[in-house]
Amino acid sequence: KTHSVTITLSDPSSGTITREYWAGVQGDRVSDIPLNKPPTSTSSLNIFEGPSNIGTNYGTRIRGYVTAPVSGFYVFNIASNDHSELWLSTGEDPSQKTLIASVTGATGIREWNKYASQRSDPVMLTAGERYYIESLHKQGVGTDNIAVAWTVGGLVERPIPASRLSPYETTAETMTSAPDGNSQFE
C-alpha cells in the first residue's frame, strides 16, 4: 500500500547548496560549460564557495536557494578564477533569473572588489523568502576559485554561509512509503 505525504519544511534553509562539476572542458569562458550535458559529478557545499586549486579545464554550476535573513537591499559579490556569472531570480522560479554580477578575468580567492562587474546593484529581498541563485564558473588553467558573498545594512557574509542556503530541487517533494516500510522520495 502506498501513502503520499507532503513534507513542509518550517525552516526553508537546509544548510547546503548544489554544486555540479563538468571535467575536461577547454576554454575559460562561462559559455564553454556544456550545461546541456549531465555533469561529471554533483555534490553539496555548506558555504557558497567551491574548492580552490583543484584542477584545470573544468566548469561548475552552483545553484539552489538563498533565504534572506532580513528585509533590505542586498549587494552581491562574486570572486573567481577564471570567468564566472552570478544569476538571481525574483523568487524560487529559476526561469525568472537575471544576471547580476560577473568576472570576465580572474580574481584571487575571496578577492571581492577587483572589477566593478563583480558587484551587483542593490537588490531588494524580503526576510524569510527563498530566492533561486546560480553561479556559473569556468576554469581554464592556473589557480582556480569561486565564491559568492552578500551584504545588507551592517551584515556582511563573505562567502554566504550554510544557514542561508538550500539545495536545488528538481522535483516536487513528495514522499511515498514503499511496501517494505521504507520511505523514499519520488
Side-chain angles (χ1 to χ4, degrees):
K1 188 174 181 182
T2 300
H3 301 283
S4 289
V5 178
T6 300
I7 299 171
T8 304
L9 302 173
S10 57
D11 178 359
S13 299
S14 73
T16 64
I17 193 163
T18 306
R19 178 181 182 261
E20 297 165 296
Y21 170 86
W22 286 265
V25 181
Q26 299 298 313
D28 62 4
R29 303 222 180 322
V30 168
S31 59
D32 296 327
I33 304 169
L35 296 172
N36 57 337
K37 294 183 179 171
T40 306
S41 66
T42 301
S43 59
S44 294
L45 301 173
N46 60 10
I47 191 171
F48 206 139
E49 181 173 42
S52 298
N53 300 319
I54 59 164
T56 59
N57 295 315
Y58 69 84
T60 67
R61 173 170 53 193
I62 301 172
R63 63 179 169 164
Y65 307 92
V66 64
T67 301
V70 297
S71 294
F73 286 96
Y74 287 72
V75 174
F76 290 80
N77 291 78
I78 188 166
S80 68
N81 185 351
D82 293 303
H83 297 192
S84 64
E85 294 177 349
L86 182 61
W87 296 77
L88 183 70
S89 183
T90 54
E92 292 188 26
D93 184 355
S95 71
Q96 301 297 311
K97 70 183 181 187
T98 57
L99 182 66
I100 62 168
S102 63
V103 173
T104 55
T107 74
I109 296 170
R110 298 184 183 183
E111 184 180 4
W112 306 112
N113 296 303
K114 185 173 180 180
Y115 305 108
S117 65
Q118 288 177 256
R119 181 184 173 104
S120 76
D121 288 334
V123 180
M124 181 63 192
L125 301 181
T126 303
E129 294 292 316
R130 279 193 342 164
Y131 299 88
Y132 176 80
I133 191 166
E134 174 180 303
S135 70
L136 298 173
H137 169 229
K138 180 61 189 77
Q139 167 58 16
V141 296
T143 59
D144 53 308
N145 67 82
I146 174 71
V148 175
W150 67 3
T151 58
V152 58
L155 178 69
V156 177
E157 294 181 327
R158 295 181 169 177
I160 298 173
S163 60
R164 315 290 187 215
L165 304 173
S166 304
Y168 179 67
E169 299 161 3
T170 54
T171 58
E173 293 198 2
T174 305
M175 192 171 76
T176 61
S177 179
D180 62 5
N182 292 327
S183 297
Q184 63 190 35
F185 283 97
E186 288 186 332

